Amino acid sequence: MDSERLAYITGEEVHAGDRVRYKGSFSTVVFVSDGDNEEFSPGYQDYAGSERGVMICDDDGGTSFIGYPDENLSFMDRG
C-alpha cells in the first residue's frame, strides 16, 4: 500500500525529532506514521503500529496526537 507521506502545510515532510509549534506551544515530534512507514524517537517505540498521524511532546512534557497536520502545526527546525 502506498500511503501519502505526512507533511506540514508548507510542504516539508514530517519526521521524528522535528521541532514544531502547535497551537502556540513549542514541541518535538516523537512519532509519525503515514500508515506504511513509521518513525519514532527513543522511548516512543510502544507507539509502533499506531494509526496514521503525528504524536508531539511539548516542552512541558504533555503529548498530543494529530491525525493530519494542519495550520495549527508549524515546522520550526529539523532535529
Side-chain angles (χ1 to χ4, degrees), residues 6-75:
L6 293 176
Y8 303 100
I9 61 169
T10 52
E12 294 94 347
E13 283 190 17
V14 180
H15 291 283
D18 285 355
R19 288 292 292 162
V20 297
R21 191 170 191 164
Y22 181 62
K23 296 183 177 179
S25 296
F26 291 99
S27 304
T28 301
V29 174
V30 294
F31 174 79
V32 60
S33 173
D34 65 10
D36 289 330
N37 302 297
E38 299 175 332
E39 292 181 16
F40 45 85
S41 296
Y44 291 88
Q45 301 87 312
D46 291 345
Y47 291 99
S50 294
E51 62 188 85
R52 177 183 171 89
V54 178
M55 169 130 346
I56 61 172
C57 181
D58 66 33
D59 289 353
D60 293 328
T63 58
S64 299
F65 187 82
I66 304 160
Y68 193 81
D70 61 18
E71 66 278 352
N72 292 310
L73 185 67
S74 302
F75 175 73

